[in-house]
């Protein structure tokens, strides 16, 4: 018998601090699987966010930098400009990337900065205990929208992939989910592609992973993944939003 | 022939593997509490396992190793 | 001695940084330091390995600095007062992660948007930390274009030596003024940086650049360890100029442009027979406490000359331990104290100490 599935080598033995059923663990594993598959552990540098994934630096075996809230794309820019031969990725949540760090995100994208961004959208601030996120759904009840997100006073959710794909520069933008086996497998492919794009010098790749927060959504892990299917994915449709490899192909013809 | 092993100590008993198993041969062991305080996932009938690794795919904590 | 060239202060900083092996610069336009950014924009893309990037904000610029500093390479950003306020978050993270970096503040009047004329009103911000948490920067205050260059070189060396961000605290006059300057010889960091993130190459455990310690005992220890290094800096790196202090009966304390005006005032006062000297801090953190304390045993009073509402004066008072009167001679909002004002304030002090009419 041969091993067909095991913990990827580029994850440390540190036990994840995430709540039971939290998909952060799945997404960490997908990132590590991509690093393993591409054989880039020794030259990869990850940037951890502020939020639930703040301690990601303990979980990946590659070199890691912990960034201030929202600043990961700027820190990654510094790392990549200093070490262009290395592989730089950020791992950020929705509050980090789409609220406090929106300027850093948009400008890294419009520079087509040759980095890989893993953006975890679970429509809530997890670490601080379940406050409204820029991606919280209309009517979603959170600690800071206790009567449901009111579009008149609290604004509409931000669809990051749609927003960024309006820019000319970014190379690859895809939205995936991790709520079932099929979607996890697609997410795995997308994340690996985002790393491969960087290795090939293509530029900015962002993978939005629609995720869940069972604890702060007040649901069982099973119910939370069902909610992703029923509520999140209809608002945040999965798919490729920008792929400039098609332009590359056109130019080649 | 397939074999699934659980690193039981780090299982958080979320049950996502249980739901993912197409053969319905996984369950949370209510008679056991691991050192993290959870009912860990166990396999009820190893002989029915097809080694699809769906359980491991959905496990957030890399608890599961699959051999085939 | 290198040949002298005529340069603006802002450009002298930029050229000195390049000669110190700083090949990475991230900035954002703001008056009165923009020439520095423009100089880097012109030079760095033509240099091997050179990186110039105009960031989307000062916040992003300092975080790009954090990224490069994490890799162990020399890196700099510059701004002026309102922009430096925006950088404080990143500076705190750089200090908390024990990274070397150089930050230039060509100060202008404040608070708020303030003005664009020279000021020293970011003294508290620069010397007391600036951002959140317990930390210091090494703060160097040039008083000539020559020092703009020399202290930039020194800032890189000290930052590397102590794994600590260093700030060049200049002002709009220093930035805009042109003077002949002998540029420092090219030199590079010779300090090993085994802590840097460069990729493990599968040859070592992963390095982590981080300022988060959720265990209070460990966070406390990082603070104590860092302050032990600060103690060494205070012991080894205090720099100041002592001017005509041997026979001085009164002491002016001033840095930057204020010290230049003070020297002229001292020349005038000595013509009238008033024995006044100057202590010019070159490092305002660490502050030349001992020099001031020793002076307090010899002089009858101090005048703190500042382009602010009186910030350094607090450090002067702490240093001289309330032995002598300390008075403030200041202008604010972009104004500079003149020779007449310094003489008038000093004479008032003399009268109050020694009695009699002015």
């Amino acid at each position: 018998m041969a091993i067909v599935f095991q913990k990827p080598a580029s994850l440390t033995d540190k036990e994840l601090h995430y709540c039971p059923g939290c998909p952060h663990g799945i997404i960490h594993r997908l990132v590590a699987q991509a690093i393993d598959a591409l054989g880039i552990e020794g030259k990869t540098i990850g940037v951890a966010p502020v939020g639930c994934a703040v301690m990601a630096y303990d979980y990946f075996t590659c070199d890691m930098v912990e960034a201030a809230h929202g600043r990961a794309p700027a820190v990654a820019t510094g790392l990549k400009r200093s070490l262009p031969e290395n592989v730089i990725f950020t791992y950020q949540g929705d509050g980090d990337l789409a609220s406090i760090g929106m300027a850093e995100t948009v400008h890294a994208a419009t520079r087509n900065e040759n980095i890989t961004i893993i953006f975890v959208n679970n429509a809530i601030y997890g670490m601080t205990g379940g406050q409204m996120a820029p991606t919280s759904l209309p009517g979603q009840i959170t600690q800071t929208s206790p009567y449901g997100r009111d579009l008149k006073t609290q604004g509409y959710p931000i669809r990051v992939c749609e927003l960024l794909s309006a820019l000319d520069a970014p190379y690859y933008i895809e939205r995936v989910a991790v709520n079932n086996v099929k979607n996890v497998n697609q997410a795995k492919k997308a994340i690996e592609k985002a790393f491969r794009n960087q290795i090939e010098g293509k530029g900015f790749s962002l993978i939005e992973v629609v995720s869940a927060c069972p604890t702060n959504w007040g649901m069982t892990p099973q119910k939370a993944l069902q909610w992703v299917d029923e509520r999140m994915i209809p608002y945040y449709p999965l798919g490729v939003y920008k792929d400039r490899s098609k332009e590359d192909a056109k130019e080649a013809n | 022939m397939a074999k699934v092993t659980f690193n039981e100590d780090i299982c958080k008993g979320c049950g996502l593997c249980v739901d993912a198993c197409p053969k319905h041969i996984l369950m949370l062991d209510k008679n056991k509490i691991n050192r993290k305080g959870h009912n860990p996932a166990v396999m009820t009938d190893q002989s029915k396992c097809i080694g699809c690794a769906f359980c491991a795919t959905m496990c957030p904590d890399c608890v599961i190793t699959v051999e085939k | 001695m290198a040949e002298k060239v005529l340069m603006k202060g802002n450009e002298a900083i930029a050229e000195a940084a390049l000669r110190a092996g700083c090949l990475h610069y991230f900035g954002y336009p703001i008056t009165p330091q923009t020439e520095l950014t423009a100089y880097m924009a012109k030079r760095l893309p033509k240099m091997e390995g050179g990186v110039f990037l105009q960031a989307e904000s000062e916040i992003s610029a300092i975080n790009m600095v954090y990224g490069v500093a994490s890799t162990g390479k020399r890196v700099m950003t510059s701004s002026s007062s309102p922009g430096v306020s925006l950088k404080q978050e990143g500076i705190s993270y750089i200090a908390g992660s024990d990274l070397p970096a150089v930050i230039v503040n060509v100060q202008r009047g404040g608070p708020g948007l303030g003005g664009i004329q020279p000021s020293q009103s970011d003294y508290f911000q620069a010397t007391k930390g600036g951002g959140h948490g317990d930390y210091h920067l090494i703060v160097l205050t040039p008083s000539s274009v020559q020092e703009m260059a020399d202290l930039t070189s020194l800032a890189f060396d000290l930052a590397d030596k102590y794994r600590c961000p260093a700030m060049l605290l200049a002002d709009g006059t220093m930035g805009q003024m042109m003077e002949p300057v002998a540029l420092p010889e090219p030199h590079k960091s010779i300090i090993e940086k085994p802590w840097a993130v460069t990729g493990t190459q599968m040859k070592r455990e992963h390095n982590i650049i981080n300022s988060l310690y959720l265990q209070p005992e460990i966070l406390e220890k990082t603070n104590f360890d860092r302050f032990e290094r600060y103690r060494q800096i205070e012991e080894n790196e205090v720099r100041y100029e002592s001017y005509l202090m041997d026979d001085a009966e009164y002491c002016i304390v001033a840095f930057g442009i204020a010290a230049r005006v003070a020297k002229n005032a001292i020349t005038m006062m000595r013509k009238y027979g008033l024995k006044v000297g100057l202590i010019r801090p070159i490092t305002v953190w660490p502050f030349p406490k001992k020099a001031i304390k020793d002076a307090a045993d010899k002089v009858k009073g101090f005048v703190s000359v500042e382009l602010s509402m009186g910030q350094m004066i607090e450090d002067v008072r702490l240093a001289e331990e309330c032995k002598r009167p300390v008075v403030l001679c200041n202008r604010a909002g972009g104004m500079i104290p003149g020779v007449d004002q310094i003489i008038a304030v000093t004479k008032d002090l003399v009268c109050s100490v020694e009695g009699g009419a002015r």
Side-chain angles (χ1 to χ4, degrees):
Chain A
M1 280 204 296
I3 289 173
V4 292
F5 200 112
Q6 66 182 337
K7 186 165 85 76
S10 51
L11 281 183
T12 64
D13 288 332
K14 184 112 177 162
E15 288 172 32
L16 303 177
H17 70 279
Y18 301 110
C19 303
C22 173
H24 266 307
I26 300 177
I27 305 163
H28 279 27
R29 192 191 69 226
L30 296 178
V31 170
Q33 283 174 328
I35 292 171
D36 285 2
L38 297 165
I40 51 173
E41 184 191 328
K43 63 172 183 176
T44 298
I45 303 171
V47 184
V50 169
C52 280
V54 66
M55 282 175 285
Y57 54 75
D58 277 337
Y59 303 138
F60 293 100
T61 54
C62 59
D63 278 354
M64 294 293 293
V65 179
E66 189 352 76
H69 202 25
R71 315 296 174 223
V75 175
T77 298
L79 291 165
K80 188 68 183 181
R81 298 290 179 117
S82 174
L83 302 169
E85 300 305 317
N86 287 57
V87 176
I88 314 295
F89 77 92
T90 74
Y91 186 105
Q92 302 174 257
D94 41 50
D96 191 270
L97 181 136
S99 192
I100 193 166
M102 188 52 114
E104 285 79 359
T105 305
V106 171
H107 284 269
T110 205
R111 288 191 301 266
N112 198 28
E113 205 67 55
N114 191 23
I115 57 174
T116 301
I117 292 187
I118 309 302
F119 164 44
V120 180
N121 176 7
N122 63 4
I124 207 150
Y125 282 74
M127 185 61 116
T128 42
Q131 295 78 28
M132 191 185 77
T135 53
S136 290
L137 295 179
Q140 187 177 335
I141 289 171
T142 71
Q143 204 180 64
T144 50
S145 56
Y147 310 109
R149 181 175 187 156
D150 176 5
L151 298 179
K152 279 186 191 149
T153 59
Q154 296 178 302
Y156 283 71
I158 293 177
R159 293 186 177 103
V160 169
C161 289
E162 288 85 335
L163 184 79
L164 293 180
S165 60
L167 298 170
D168 290 339
Y171 187 77
Y172 190 80
I173 295 173
E174 181 175 353
R175 183 183 287 129
V176 295
V178 287
N179 60 318
N180 57 43
V181 172
K182 179 172 159 274
N183 283 344
V184 171
N185 287 335
Q186 178 54 34
K188 186 182 172 193
K189 279 184 208 152
I191 288 171
E192 194 175 316
K193 187 176 172 67
F195 276 97
R196 199 178 307 112
N197 287 342
Q198 181 179 168
I199 295 164
E200 290 169 1
K202 301 293 191 188
F204 186 89
S205 299
L206 179 143
I207 307 300
E208 174 174 343
V209 185
V210 177
S211 187
C213 181
T215 300
N216 289 300
W217 289 0
M219 298 176 194
T220 63
Q222 290 74 14
K223 186 90 184 73
L225 294 191
Q226 203 182 321
W227 204 77
V228 167
D229 219 29
E230 291 165 3
R231 298 288 311 277
M232 291 284 282
I233 292 175
Y235 203 91
Y236 298 109
L238 308 185
V240 177
Y241 283 81
K242 196 165 188 89
D243 183 1
R244 282 178 54 198
S245 68
K246 286 171 188 152
E247 295 168 32
D248 292 356
K250 256 184 219 164
E251 276 167 31
N253 285 338
Chain B
M1 182 62 184
K3 190 181 160 204
V4 174
T5 44
F6 293 81
N7 184 358
E8 208 179 273
D9 284 350
I10 62 167
C11 177
K12 292 173 185 159
C14 70
L16 291 183
C17 57
V18 176
D19 281 20
C21 178
K23 293 291 170 186
H24 309 292
I25 50 172
L26 297 181
M27 61 174 279
L28 298 181
D29 188 348
K30 299 287 179 199
N31 295 318
K32 200 184 254 178
I33 293 176
N34 70 6
R35 66 170 169 80
K36 292 178 93 76
H38 300 294
N39 300 130
V42 290
M43 181 166 276
T44 54
D45 189 350
Q46 184 81 58
S47 68
K48 286 186 184 162
C49 177
I50 55 170
C52 67
F54 281 14
C55 53
T57 302
M58 291 309 294
C59 175
D61 292 281
C62 291
V63 170
I64 304 167
T65 303
V66 184
E67 290 166 272
K68 206 172 173 179
Chain C
M1 190 68 190
E3 198 183 327
K4 287 197 172 184
V5 287
L6 187 65
M7 282 185 110
K8 255 193 172 184
N10 284 333
E11 293 173 343
I13 294 173
E15 184 57 37
L18 297 177
R19 287 169 182 240
C22 170
L23 289 174
H24 296 79
Y25 172 89
F26 302 93
Y28 188 84
I30 183 170
T31 307
Q33 64 80 50
T34 305
E35 295 85 356
L36 204 170
T37 311
Y39 194 93
M40 290 302 207
K42 210 169 180 177
R43 290 289 308 281
L44 277 168
K46 305 282 182 197
M47 295 172 77
E48 199 188 331
V51 172
F52 166 83
L53 188 58
Q54 179 172 325
E56 55 271 24
S57 68
E58 286 91 346
I59 298 172
S60 288
I62 192 70
N63 281 284
M64 290 168 187
V65 167
Y66 176 73
V68 173
S70 298
T71 70
K73 293 189 184 167
R74 289 191 158 178
V75 58
M76 183 169 95
T77 185
S78 64
S79 191
S80 179
S81 307
V84 176
S85 290
L86 282 172
K87 289 184 194 292
Q88 292 303 328
E89 174 198 61
I91 295 172
S92 172
Y93 277 69
I94 290 169
S97 303
D98 298 317
L99 295 174
V102 173
I103 301 117
V104 177
N105 182 359
V106 182
Q107 296 169 94
R108 55 189 255 185
L113 200 46
I116 58 168
Q117 299 299 325
S119 174
Q120 297 177 332
S121 54
D122 301 343
Y123 179 92
F124 283 152
Q125 186 194 59
T127 59
K128 311 298 176 190
H132 60 284
D134 274 324
Y135 73 91
H136 279 292
L137 312 174
I138 297 171
V139 186
L140 302 159
T141 59
S143 188
S144 64
V145 175
Q146 184 63 54
E147 278 191 347
M148 292 285 249
D150 294 345
L151 297 183
T152 299
S153 276
L154 180 64
F156 281 102
D157 292 343
L158 294 179
D160 275 351
K161 184 175 176 188
Y162 295 101
R163 282 185 68 177
C164 161
M167 175 175 277
L168 200 72
L169 186 68
D171 63 65
T173 343
M174 288 293 128
Q176 296 300 322
M177 168 188 289
M178 289 184 92
E179 279 182 330
V181 51
L183 291 161
E185 290 299 313
H187 71 292
K188 289 195 169 70
S189 178
I190 47 161
I191 290 170
E192 294 281 318
K193 295 172 177 172
W195 46 263
V197 292
T198 50
T200 63
Q201 315 302 328
M202 309 302 275
K203 286 176 186 157
R204 56 162 170 78
E205 286 290 295
H206 67 165
N207 282 340
I208 299 172
I209 303 295
N210 178 34
S211 58
L212 177 72
Y213 300 93
L214 289 176
Q215 303 294 331
E217 298 85 354
I218 298 173
L219 179 57
E220 182 189 51
K221 185 176 182 308
T222 67
N223 277 285
F224 279 126
D225 290 351
R226 194 170 299 115
F227 271 70
E228 169 53 26
R229 266 184 294 135
Y230 291 159
R231 195 193 57 72
Q232 290 170 18
I233 295 170
E234 287 187 293
E235 205 169 286
N236 302 326
E237 308 299 346
V238 170
R239 285 168 171 80
Y240 63 93
E241 179 193 358
S242 189
Y243 178 72
L244 302 179
M245 281 300 294
D246 285 348
D247 62 345
E249 293 177 354
Y250 292 87
C251 174
I252 293 176
V253 185
F255 67 93
I257 183 67
R260 292 171 72 124
V261 185
K263 279 186 182 174
N264 287 341
I266 287 167
T267 307
M268 299 279 283
M269 287 188 279
R270 284 196 169 246
K271 278 185 190 158
Y272 311 140
L274 200 56
K275 288 179 179 165
V276 184
L278 169 75
I279 291 176
R280 174 173 75 89
I282 296 171
T283 53
V284 282
W285 196 91
F287 193 71
K289 289 180 203 166
K290 186 170 182 304
I292 305 263
K293 188 183 172 186
D294 291 349
D297 293 332
K298 299 196 301 190
V299 302
K300 298 173 187 168
F302 292 88
V303 182
S304 186
V305 182
E306 303 182 50
L307 277 67
S308 73
M309 293 309 293
Q311 300 190 13
M312 181 181 66
I313 191 170
E314 294 190 4
D315 283 338
V316 176
R317 285 193 174 121
L318 282 170
E320 60 93 40
E321 295 174 348
C322 301
K323 286 181 187 157
R324 306 286 173 211
V326 184
V327 296
L328 178 67
C329 173
N330 71 315
R331 296 295 298 270
M335 301 300 291
I336 302 176
V339 168
D340 292 351
Q341 186 187 353
I342 295 173
I343 293 172
V345 171
T346 310
K347 279 186 176 171
D348 277 351
L349 173 67
V350 173
C351 291
S352 70
V353 169
E354 300 182 11
R358 286 177 68 170

